[in-house]
Each structure stands twice: as structure tokens, then as C-alpha cells.
Amino acid sequence: MSQEHTPQPPATISLQCIRCGCTYPTDVVRYLCDCGGLLDVWHDLEALRPQLSRGLFDGRLSGAPGPRVAPTTNSGVWRYRELILPATADTIVSRPEGNTPLYEHSRLSRWVGVETLFLKHEGENPTGSFKDRGMTVGVTQAKLMNAQAVACASTGNTSASLAAYAALAGIPALIFIPAGKVAAGKLAQALAYGAHTLQIQGDFDDAMSLVRQVCDQMGVYLLNSLNPFRLEGQKSIVLEILQGFSWQPPDWIVLPAGNLGNTAAFGKALYEAQQLGLVEKIPRIAAVQAAGASPFYQSYQTNFAERITLKPSTIATAIRIGKPVSYERAIRTLGWTNGVVTSVTDQEIMDAKAMVDNVGIGCEPASAAAVAGARKLIAEGVIMPQETIVGILTGNLLKDPAATVDYHTGVWPEAQFANPPVQLEPTMEAVRQVIEAKL
Ligand SMILES: *Cc1c(COP(=O)(O)O)cnc(C)c1O
Ligand SMILES: [Zn+2]
């Protein structure tokens, strides 16, 4: 092991193949096992069990931050550092992330068909999506590895987040995005944060295979969710939910599923929390795909006898993925959590989004798949109305303004909740007529 350039990683973590169990040290760059299997960051749960407790994590829920926001090891990600990446305050690259709100709204819950639907709003992270939770860890690890450059392929939010964190760390970032298929807000972020942005004539899966070759051949550090450190950061969504419910877990966590990184991370977090005795029972996971980009759902229907891949098509660009990277990790999550998979149409996604938006919460299209999926699973009797459900709103309303405006201005003829703007003459009489008609 070379120790001249990279600090010695803490002894409690290593990389472990999820297929054959082979382990590798974390101070050498590696994304796959020699057998081709995906890697996990493995924590020594036996050694951690006596050190970790609910009280330790609750004690880090300190008060409001001071006027100067410094990287903090009490953030929504780093307060769980023993379970993520044991890094110190002077090494972490953080805005900080997490501590996202858990909303509920009676009108929305009624529409979904439950007593109370909780919504964890990950769109309220620094760059507007949950990707920040993975990226703070991924870029911190890149810094620990002395990476000269970092890269990812992205449907948009990963690149927005990587661009920001690489800029914070002062590391050049290379971003591969499918040309013409990234929402305006996300593309704007990548450019604004100074990332080298490469628009590929192809879809996400083409961009993904290209970035993997670039990283292998040019020594650039890969920060797609193939990289297991990102998933460690994303586990903190679940840890925060458990802690937010005073370690009395909800019955269900429902989330949108594209590349399956979050589905994978959630399962691992729940498995580890239960192994460590932080919770007695764990929620079931429901992963929701868009009907036009549902390879995981279709594979699930074959009981995973067949791994289906396809050319994806959906309005929800963040989950427009035909060959999900974390496929095997996500299957493991279903086993650990007695999880289910479903799919929803673009129409269902956009109507659910309009409801989430209309109660004053708001989200991007992919996020609304969680709400549409919860509604479907309740209608089907898979989820019971009195059960406690947490839906994950993965991204911010402002990420994809075009999708929202199209919905409300007639591009979606079946839009149930369209709120079109009114055109009128600049006269008091015209305004009076509109107001009398509307109110
Ligand atoms: C990345 C992303 C997803 C999909 O998450 P996966 O981990 O790829 O399944 C869903 N919604 C938003 C807003 C995202 O940015
Ligand atoms: Zn292996």
C-alpha cells in the first residue's frame, strides 16, 4: 500500500464486493471487484456496536449554526460519520448538507389516500437535490486520495452537485451529460459552478459508459454512484428519518428509482441500523420507476430471473435511465427490507407533482414519482391507509421549470390540475371580470 501521498484510512472501513465478498483497502482507487461485482464501503459493525448509540447521534443535534457556516461534523450527513466515512472537520468538503424538513399536508395526504403522508424534502439541500449528501462524501474522499480531477455522467443533478463540491474543494470537474436531455436549472448549475461540461450525443447510459472509460484510462476520479462512497453519504437520508422519528421507524419509505443508488443506500442504512441496535424494526422500501424507464420494475416482475435494459423515455429526466448501475445492490435492498417496486406513468407523475406544488411544497418531476407511487400502492392495497409513510422528494421545483410551465399551459391535454396564466387587456374592467370568474 502506498502511504506517501494518501493519509492512512481508518482501520474500520474497507471495500467489499457484494457478489463474492472479496475486500480491498480504501486508499487505492477501485470501483469494481476483480470478479466484476459492485463494491460496498464495509464498516466493522462488531467494533462499532459498543461505540454507537442513539444518544451519541442525538447529542450531535446541536443548535442553530452561527453566522459563519463552517464545514461541520454535526451536519445532517457528518453527524453519522462513523457509519459513513470517519473524516475530521478539517478534511470534509461540506456546505453543509441534510437536516432537511419532513413536511405533511392534510390535503395532499387525503389525495394520496392516507391519514398522514410525510415528505422528506431533499430538494432543500444546498444545490437542490439529495445528490449533495453523496457528493460531500465523494469529494471528501477524492481529496483524501489527492485526486487531480473528478468526473461523472449525469442526468443533471449529479453534475450540478459535483460541479459545486469540486469548486469548493478546488478540484477540476469533468461532466458528461446527454445533449438536450438535461433540465435547464441543472445545466445552468454545472456551467455556473465552472465544471468542464461535455454534451454527449446519446443518452445517459452512453455518457455513463464513456465516463467509465475516461476514468480508467486517464486517472480521473469517478464520482458516479458506482462509487460506493457516494452511497454512504446518501444513507444519511434514512438515518435522519430514523432519528427524526425518535428511532421509532415509519412503516414505509417510498422513493423514486432511476440509477438505483438511493434504493441501494437506503437498504444498506436500514440493515446497518438494525444490526447496530439503533432500531428494532425497519421500514419497508417501495421503489417507484417511471413507466417509460422501468427496467428495474420489469426485472422485478420476472422475479429478477432476467435483467432487463431498455431505451428510456420519461418527462422525469432524473430517472430517465435504462441500465441502472446499482441494480444488484437494489435487489439486496428489497431482500433486507421486504421491499416492493412499482411504476407510474408520466401523467400520474405530473398530476402528483401538481398536487405537491399546489399545497406549497413543490418538487421536480422525478420526485413526484414517489407520491404517485405511494398513491398507487395504497389504491392497490399494498400500503394500508393507517400506516406511516415517508415519501422522498428528491429534487427542487426550480430544477426543471420547463416541465412545470408545459403542464400548466396546455402541453399536457389531460393535466388535471393545470393552472394556466390568464392573458388580458391592461384595464381595470378586464381584471374585474377575471377576478369575478375565478373567486
Ligand atoms: C438522482 C435522482 C433520482 C434517482 O435516484 P437514483 O439513486 O439514481 O435512483 C431521483 N430524483 C432526483 C431528483 C434525482 O436527482
Ligand atoms: Zn467480487
Tab-separated table of all heavy atoms in Angstrom, residues 20-68:
chain	number	residue	atom	x	y	z
A	20	CYS	N	-18.890	-11.506	-4.316
A	20	CYS	CA	-18.031	-12.605	-3.855
A	20	CYS	C	-17.429	-12.346	-2.474
A	20	CYS	O	-16.794	-13.240	-1.914
A	20	CYS	CB	-16.919	-12.876	-4.866
A	20	CYS	SG	-15.593	-11.664	-4.836
A	21	GLY	N	-17.617	-11.129	-1.936
A	21	GLY	CA	-17.139	-10.862	-0.579
A	21	GLY	C	-15.676	-10.473	-0.469
A	21	GLY	O	-15.191	-10.180	0.620
A	22	CYS	N	-14.943	-10.455	-1.592
A	22	CYS	CA	-13.537	-10.023	-1.592
A	22	CYS	C	-13.428	-8.628	-0.997
A	22	CYS	O	-14.295	-7.795	-1.229
A	22	CYS	CB	-13.029	-9.922	-3.029
A	22	CYS	SG	-12.016	-11.276	-3.532
A	23	THR	N	-12.361	-8.355	-0.269
A	23	THR	CA	-12.200	-6.999	0.265
A	23	THR	C	-10.939	-6.338	-0.293
A	23	THR	O	-9.970	-7.011	-0.680
A	23	THR	CB	-12.129	-6.992	1.810
A	23	THR	OG1	-10.983	-7.731	2.203
A	23	THR	CG2	-13.381	-7.572	2.428
A	24	TYR	N	-10.975	-5.014	-0.327
A	24	TYR	CA	-9.876	-4.198	-0.840
A	24	TYR	C	-9.709	-3.004	0.088
A	24	TYR	O	-10.677	-2.548	0.695
A	24	TYR	CB	-10.191	-3.695	-2.254
A	24	TYR	CG	-10.470	-4.789	-3.254
A	24	TYR	CD1	-11.778	-5.220	-3.477
A	24	TYR	CD2	-9.445	-5.400	-3.964
A	24	TYR	CE1	-12.051	-6.224	-4.396
A	24	TYR	CE2	-9.701	-6.401	-4.885
A	24	TYR	CZ	-11.011	-6.822	-5.104
A	24	TYR	OH	-11.261	-7.809	-6.005
A	25	PRO	N	-8.487	-2.454	0.186
A	25	PRO	CA	-8.292	-1.263	1.022
A	25	PRO	C	-8.941	-0.039	0.379
A	25	PRO	O	-9.116	0.009	-0.837
A	25	PRO	CB	-6.773	-1.102	1.067
A	25	PRO	CG	-6.279	-1.786	-0.177
A	25	PRO	CD	-7.234	-2.913	-0.450
A	26	THR	N	-9.264	0.964	1.204
A	26	THR	CA	-9.927	2.163	0.675
A	26	THR	C	-8.941	3.229	0.211
A	26	THR	O	-9.359	4.255	-0.298
A	26	THR	CB	-10.848	2.796	1.739
A	26	THR	OG1	-10.065	3.095	2.891
A	26	THR	CG2	-11.983	1.875	2.111
A	27	ASP	N	-7.644	2.999	0.376
A	27	ASP	CA	-6.690	4.031	-0.058
A	27	ASP	C	-6.118	3.758	-1.439
A	27	ASP	O	-5.158	4.398	-1.861
A	27	ASP	CB	-5.581	4.225	0.986
A	27	ASP	CG	-4.749	2.974	1.173
A	27	ASP	OD1	-5.171	1.902	0.690
A	27	ASP	OD2	-3.685	3.057	1.806
A	28	VAL	N	-6.715	2.801	-2.161
A	28	VAL	CA	-6.367	2.561	-3.559
A	28	VAL	C	-7.657	2.735	-4.355
A	28	VAL	O	-8.694	2.212	-3.960
A	28	VAL	CB	-5.800	1.133	-3.754
A	28	VAL	CG1	-5.514	0.858	-5.221
A	28	VAL	CG2	-4.548	0.945	-2.906
A	29	VAL	N	-7.583	3.490	-5.468
A	29	VAL	CA	-8.806	3.744	-6.246
A	29	VAL	C	-9.282	2.461	-6.917
A	29	VAL	O	-8.513	1.772	-7.587
A	29	VAL	CB	-8.554	4.831	-7.313
A	29	VAL	CG1	-9.772	4.975	-8.214
A	29	VAL	CG2	-8.221	6.164	-6.651
A	30	ARG	N	-10.548	2.140	-6.706
A	30	ARG	CA	-11.126	0.932	-7.294
A	30	ARG	C	-12.642	1.087	-7.272
A	30	ARG	O	-13.204	1.548	-6.283
A	30	ARG	CB	-10.684	-0.282	-6.454
A	30	ARG	CG	-11.372	-1.573	-6.792
A	30	ARG	CD	-10.838	-2.718	-5.948
A	30	ARG	NE	-9.592	-3.286	-6.475
A	30	ARG	CZ	-9.545	-4.197	-7.448
A	30	ARG	NH1	-10.654	-4.613	-8.023
A	30	ARG	NH2	-8.383	-4.676	-7.850
A	31	TYR	N	-13.296	0.751	-8.390
A	31	TYR	CA	-14.758	0.900	-8.450
A	31	TYR	C	-15.487	-0.432	-8.550
A	31	TYR	O	-16.681	-0.506	-8.291
A	31	TYR	CB	-15.174	1.768	-9.642
A	31	TYR	CG	-14.395	3.058	-9.737
A	31	TYR	CD1	-13.461	3.251	-10.746
A	31	TYR	CD2	-14.569	4.060	-8.782
A	31	TYR	CE1	-12.736	4.429	-10.829
A	31	TYR	CE2	-13.841	5.237	-8.852
A	31	TYR	CZ	-12.920	5.416	-9.877
A	31	TYR	OH	-12.187	6.569	-9.951
A	32	LEU	N	-14.762	-1.484	-8.977
A	32	LEU	CA	-15.394	-2.794	-9.122
A	32	LEU	C	-14.449	-3.858	-8.572
A	32	LEU	O	-13.229	-3.670	-8.544
A	32	LEU	CB	-15.651	-3.117	-10.599
A	32	LEU	CG	-16.788	-2.382	-11.315
A	32	LEU	CD1	-16.808	-2.760	-12.793
A	32	LEU	CD2	-18.145	-2.672	-10.675
A	33	CYS	N	-15.007	-4.982	-8.171
A	33	CYS	CA	-14.200	-6.141	-7.773
A	33	CYS	C	-13.567	-6.768	-9.015
A	33	CYS	O	-14.055	-6.587	-10.130
A	33	CYS	CB	-15.116	-7.144	-7.076
A	33	CYS	SG	-14.271	-8.644	-6.539
A	34	ASP	N	-12.521	-7.553	-8.826
A	34	ASP	CA	-11.932	-8.279	-9.953
A	34	ASP	C	-12.950	-9.209	-10.606
A	34	ASP	O	-12.850	-9.520	-11.784
A	34	ASP	CB	-10.711	-9.092	-9.489
A	34	ASP	CG	-9.521	-8.173	-9.193
A	34	ASP	OD1	-9.530	-7.024	-9.693
A	34	ASP	OD2	-8.611	-8.597	-8.447
A	35	CYS	N	-13.947	-9.646	-9.846
A	35	CYS	CA	-14.985	-10.523	-10.400
A	35	CYS	C	-16.047	-9.736	-11.147
A	35	CYS	O	-16.970	-10.317	-11.711
A	35	CYS	CB	-15.617	-11.366	-9.292
A	35	CYS	SG	-16.953	-10.536	-8.390
A	36	GLY	N	-15.951	-8.415	-11.133
A	36	GLY	CA	-16.945	-7.588	-11.829
A	36	GLY	C	-18.062	-7.096	-10.923
A	36	GLY	O	-18.908	-6.312	-11.352
A	37	GLY	N	-18.070	-7.553	-9.677
A	37	GLY	CA	-19.139	-7.164	-8.746
A	37	GLY	C	-18.996	-5.727	-8.262
A	37	GLY	O	-17.894	-5.157	-8.264
A	38	LEU	N	-20.118	-5.132	-7.862
A	38	LEU	CA	-20.114	-3.796	-7.272
A	38	LEU	C	-19.500	-3.848	-5.881
A	38	LEU	O	-19.530	-4.881	-5.212
A	38	LEU	CB	-21.549	-3.270	-7.153
A	38	LEU	CG	-22.334	-3.040	-8.450
A	38	LEU	CD1	-23.810	-2.871	-8.145
A	38	LEU	CD2	-21.783	-1.834	-9.193
A	39	LEU	N	-18.961	-2.713	-5.448
A	39	LEU	CA	-18.333	-2.650	-4.127
A	39	LEU	C	-19.183	-1.862	-3.142
A	39	LEU	O	-19.901	-0.942	-3.515
A	39	LEU	CB	-16.951	-1.993	-4.241
A	39	LEU	CG	-15.950	-2.720	-5.140
A	39	LEU	CD1	-14.698	-1.886	-5.322
A	39	LEU	CD2	-15.598	-4.096	-4.557
A	40	ASP	N	-19.086	-2.256	-1.895
A	40	ASP	CA	-19.663	-1.538	-0.763
A	40	ASP	C	-18.535	-0.954	0.069
A	40	ASP	O	-17.457	-1.547	0.127
A	40	ASP	CB	-20.293	-2.549	0.215
A	40	ASP	CG	-21.735	-2.812	-0.041
A	40	ASP	OD1	-22.394	-1.994	-0.690
A	40	ASP	OD2	-22.199	-3.867	0.443
A	41	VAL	N	-18.800	0.144	0.767
A	41	VAL	CA	-17.907	0.504	1.863
A	41	VAL	C	-18.341	-0.360	3.058
A	41	VAL	O	-19.494	-0.312	3.482
A	41	VAL	CB	-17.992	1.999	2.212
A	41	VAL	CG1	-17.134	2.319	3.427
A	41	VAL	CG2	-17.547	2.839	1.016
A	42	TRP	N	-17.436	-1.167	3.515
A	42	TRP	CA	-17.750	-2.102	4.602
A	42	TRP	C	-17.299	-1.499	5.935
A	42	TRP	O	-16.176	-1.021	6.079
A	42	TRP	CB	-17.043	-3.436	4.360
A	42	TRP	CG	-17.289	-4.452	5.422
A	42	TRP	CD1	-18.346	-5.320	5.515
A	42	TRP	CD2	-16.450	-4.721	6.559
A	42	TRP	NE1	-18.222	-6.092	6.632
A	42	TRP	CE2	-17.085	-5.752	7.303
A	42	TRP	CE3	-15.245	-4.187	7.027
A	42	TRP	CZ2	-16.541	-6.261	8.477
A	42	TRP	CZ3	-14.707	-4.700	8.195
A	42	TRP	CH2	-15.354	-5.726	8.907
A	43	HIS	N	-18.209	-1.486	6.889
A	43	HIS	CA	-17.885	-0.990	8.228
A	43	HIS	C	-17.840	-2.171	9.192
A	43	HIS	O	-18.649	-3.092	9.083
A	43	HIS	CB	-18.969	-0.020	8.716
A	43	HIS	CG	-19.129	1.179	7.838
A	43	HIS	ND1	-18.401	2.334	7.991
A	43	HIS	CD2	-19.927	1.402	6.759
A	43	HIS	CE1	-18.755	3.216	7.072
A	43	HIS	NE2	-19.679	2.679	6.307
A	44	ASP	N	-16.935	-2.119	10.126
A	44	ASP	CA	-16.818	-3.183	11.121
A	44	ASP	C	-17.908	-2.986	12.182
A	44	ASP	O	-17.700	-2.336	13.202
A	44	ASP	CB	-15.418	-3.135	11.746
A	44	ASP	CG	-15.176	-4.317	12.677
A	44	ASP	OD1	-16.161	-5.007	13.038
A	44	ASP	OD2	-14.010	-4.543	13.030
A	45	LEU	N	-19.070	-3.551	11.908
A	45	LEU	CA	-20.228	-3.302	12.775
A	45	LEU	C	-20.006	-3.848	14.191
A	45	LEU	O	-20.477	-3.260	15.164
A	45	LEU	CB	-21.504	-3.896	12.159
A	45	LEU	CG	-21.940	-3.288	10.810
A	45	LEU	CD1	-23.214	-3.972	10.307
A	45	LEU	CD2	-22.141	-1.788	10.893
A	46	GLU	N	-19.263	-4.957	14.280
A	46	GLU	CA	-18.979	-5.516	15.611
A	46	GLU	C	-18.200	-4.512	16.461
A	46	GLU	O	-18.501	-4.283	17.626
A	46	GLU	CB	-18.168	-6.811	15.487
A	46	GLU	CG	-18.927	-7.979	14.903
A	46	GLU	CD	-20.211	-8.270	15.682
A	46	GLU	OE1	-20.171	-8.268	16.930
A	46	GLU	OE2	-21.257	-8.462	15.024
A	47	ALA	N	-17.178	-3.918	15.832
A	47	ALA	CA	-16.354	-2.950	16.562
A	47	ALA	C	-17.132	-1.673	16.855
A	47	ALA	O	-16.893	-1.008	17.868
A	47	ALA	CB	-15.095	-2.628	15.748
A	48	LEU	N	-18.062	-1.330	15.956
A	48	LEU	CA	-18.803	-0.075	16.134
A	48	LEU	C	-19.929	-0.192	17.161
A	48	LEU	O	-20.307	0.797	17.785
A	48	LEU	CB	-19.411	0.380	14.792
A	48	LEU	CG	-18.441	0.948	13.759
A	48	LEU	CD1	-19.170	1.186	12.435
A	48	LEU	CD2	-17.819	2.262	14.257
A	49	ARG	N	-20.450	-1.415	17.337
A	49	ARG	CA	-21.670	-1.566	18.151
A	49	ARG	C	-21.532	-0.940	19.545
A	49	ARG	O	-22.411	-0.163	19.947
A	49	ARG	CB	-22.090	-3.039	18.232
A	49	ARG	CG	-23.509	-3.199	18.780
A	49	ARG	CD	-24.028	-4.628	18.699
A	49	ARG	NE	-24.273	-5.043	17.332
A	49	ARG	CZ	-23.699	-6.074	16.732
A	49	ARG	NH1	-22.817	-6.794	17.385
A	49	ARG	NH2	-23.999	-6.379	15.503
A	50	PRO	N	-20.437	-1.210	20.260
A	50	PRO	CA	-20.345	-0.583	21.596
A	50	PRO	C	-20.130	0.932	21.554
A	50	PRO	O	-20.423	1.614	22.532
A	50	PRO	CB	-19.139	-1.286	22.236
A	50	PRO	CG	-18.418	-1.973	21.145
A	50	PRO	CD	-19.373	-2.179	20.008
A	51	GLN	N	-19.632	1.457	20.434
A	51	GLN	CA	-19.357	2.908	20.364
A	51	GLN	C	-20.575	3.732	19.979
A	51	GLN	O	-20.651	4.915	20.288
A	51	GLN	CB	-18.298	3.195	19.287
A	51	GLN	CG	-16.946	2.578	19.507
A	51	GLN	CD	-16.080	2.767	18.247
A	51	GLN	OE1	-16.190	3.756	17.543
A	51	GLN	NE2	-15.226	1.788	17.972
A	52	LEU	N	-21.486	3.120	19.217
A	52	LEU	CA	-22.570	3.899	18.620
A	52	LEU	C	-23.871	3.690	19.381
A	52	LEU	O	-24.194	2.586	19.785
A	52	LEU	CB	-22.778	3.497	17.159
A	52	LEU	CG	-21.579	3.694	16.239
A	52	LEU	CD1	-21.964	3.398	14.804
A	52	LEU	CD2	-21.015	5.096	16.355
A	53	SER	N	-24.600	4.777	19.554
A	53	SER	CA	-25.890	4.697	20.246
A	53	SER	C	-26.776	5.825	19.742
A	53	SER	O	-26.299	6.780	19.136
A	53	SER	CB	-25.677	4.860	21.752
A	53	SER	OG	-25.197	6.167	22.015
A	54	ARG	N	-28.071	5.695	20.023
A	54	ARG	CA	-28.988	6.785	19.689
A	54	ARG	C	-28.530	8.074	20.357
A	54	ARG	O	-28.559	9.151	19.762
A	54	ARG	CB	-30.391	6.450	20.190
A	54	ARG	CG	-30.980	5.211	19.527
A	54	ARG	CD	-32.299	4.836	20.206
A	54	ARG	NE	-32.877	3.640	19.611
A	54	ARG	CZ	-34.009	3.075	20.009
A	54	ARG	NH1	-34.692	3.605	21.035
A	54	ARG	NH2	-34.480	2.009	19.415
A	55	GLY	N	-28.088	7.950	21.602
A	55	GLY	CA	-27.685	9.122	22.376
A	55	GLY	C	-26.508	9.867	21.755
A	55	GLY	O	-26.460	11.095	21.760
A	56	LEU	N	-25.557	9.096	21.195
A	56	LEU	CA	-24.408	9.741	20.549
A	56	LEU	C	-24.886	10.636	19.406
A	56	LEU	O	-24.488	11.798	19.291
A	56	LEU	CB	-23.449	8.675	20.003
A	56	LEU	CG	-22.268	9.222	19.194
A	56	LEU	CD1	-21.202	9.824	20.102
A	56	LEU	CD2	-21.655	8.138	18.311
A	57	PHE	N	-25.772	10.103	18.561
A	57	PHE	CA	-26.253	10.876	17.406
A	57	PHE	C	-27.177	12.011	17.856
A	57	PHE	O	-27.145	13.103	17.292
A	57	PHE	CB	-26.950	9.959	16.400
A	57	PHE	CG	-26.041	8.902	15.826
A	57	PHE	CD1	-26.375	7.557	15.875
A	57	PHE	CD2	-24.825	9.263	15.241
A	57	PHE	CE1	-25.530	6.584	15.347
A	57	PHE	CE2	-23.970	8.306	14.712
A	57	PHE	CZ	-24.328	6.952	14.766
A	58	ASP	N	-27.992	11.754	18.873
A	58	ASP	CA	-28.894	12.815	19.354
A	58	ASP	C	-28.085	13.970	19.954
A	58	ASP	O	-28.452	15.131	19.818
A	58	ASP	CB	-29.886	12.253	20.380
A	58	ASP	CG	-30.913	11.316	19.733
A	58	ASP	OD1	-31.008	11.310	18.491
A	58	ASP	OD2	-31.604	10.580	20.472
A	59	GLY	N	-26.975	13.640	20.600
A	59	GLY	CA	-26.127	14.668	21.201
A	59	GLY	C	-25.481	15.596	20.179
A	59	GLY	O	-25.056	16.696	20.515
A	60	ARG	N	-25.435	15.132	18.921
A	60	ARG	CA	-24.847	15.964	17.867
A	60	ARG	C	-25.876	16.857	17.172
A	60	ARG	O	-25.542	17.573	16.238
A	60	ARG	CB	-24.170	15.068	16.824
A	60	ARG	CG	-22.949	14.361	17.383
A	60	ARG	CD	-22.384	13.366	16.379
A	60	ARG	NE	-21.226	12.670	16.925
A	60	ARG	CZ	-20.680	11.603	16.372
A	60	ARG	NH1	-21.182	11.120	15.245
A	60	ARG	NH2	-19.647	11.009	16.923
A	61	LEU	N	-27.129	16.757	17.626
A	61	LEU	CA	-28.173	17.646	17.083
A	61	LEU	C	-28.061	18.984	17.779
A	61	LEU	O	-28.936	19.398	18.526
A	61	LEU	CB	-29.570	17.061	17.353
A	61	LEU	CG	-30.021	15.877	16.522
A	61	LEU	CD1	-31.309	15.300	17.099
A	61	LEU	CD2	-30.245	16.294	15.077
A	62	SER	N	-26.948	19.669	17.514
A	62	SER	CA	-26.729	20.921	18.239
A	62	SER	C	-27.599	22.024	17.655
A	62	SER	O	-28.218	21.851	16.624
A	62	SER	CB	-25.259	21.295	18.173
A	62	SER	OG	-24.856	21.304	16.833
A	63	GLY	N	-27.595	23.167	18.300
A	63	GLY	CA	-28.487	24.266	17.941
A	63	GLY	C	-28.209	24.877	16.575
A	63	GLY	O	-27.516	24.307	15.747
A	64	ALA	N	-28.773	26.047	16.365
A	64	ALA	CA	-28.654	26.715	15.073
A	64	ALA	C	-27.203	27.043	14.772
A	64	ALA	O	-26.418	27.316	15.679
A	64	ALA	CB	-29.476	27.992	15.087
A	65	PRO	N	-26.819	27.006	13.487
A	65	PRO	CA	-25.449	27.359	13.140
A	65	PRO	C	-25.191	28.843	13.381
A	65	PRO	O	-26.115	29.654	13.361
A	65	PRO	CB	-25.372	27.029	11.654
A	65	PRO	CG	-26.779	27.042	11.157
A	65	PRO	CD	-27.634	26.672	12.333
A	66	GLY	N	-23.951	29.191	13.610
A	66	GLY	CA	-23.578	30.592	13.787
A	66	GLY	C	-23.640	31.333	12.462
A	66	GLY	O	-23.974	30.750	11.435
A	67	PRO	N	-23.318	32.621	12.462
A	67	PRO	CA	-23.399	33.421	11.237
A	67	PRO	C	-22.437	32.941	10.150
A	67	PRO	O	-22.712	33.076	8.980
A	67	PRO	CB	-23.049	34.830	11.706
A	67	PRO	CG	-22.390	34.671	13.031
A	67	PRO	CD	-22.910	33.404	13.626
A	68	ARG	N	-21.320	32.385	10.537
A	68	ARG	CA	-20.378	31.873	9.541
A	68	ARG	C	-20.579	30.370	9.434
A	68	ARG	O	-20.385	29.641	10.403
A	68	ARG	CB	-18.946	32.190	9.995
A	68	ARG	CG	-17.894	31.782	8.999
A	68	ARG	CD	-16.508	32.196	9.478
A	68	ARG	NE	-15.503	31.324	8.899
A	68	ARG	CZ	-15.124	30.183	9.449
A	68	ARG	NH1	-15.636	29.778	10.588
A	68	ARG	NH2	-14.212	29.437	8.856
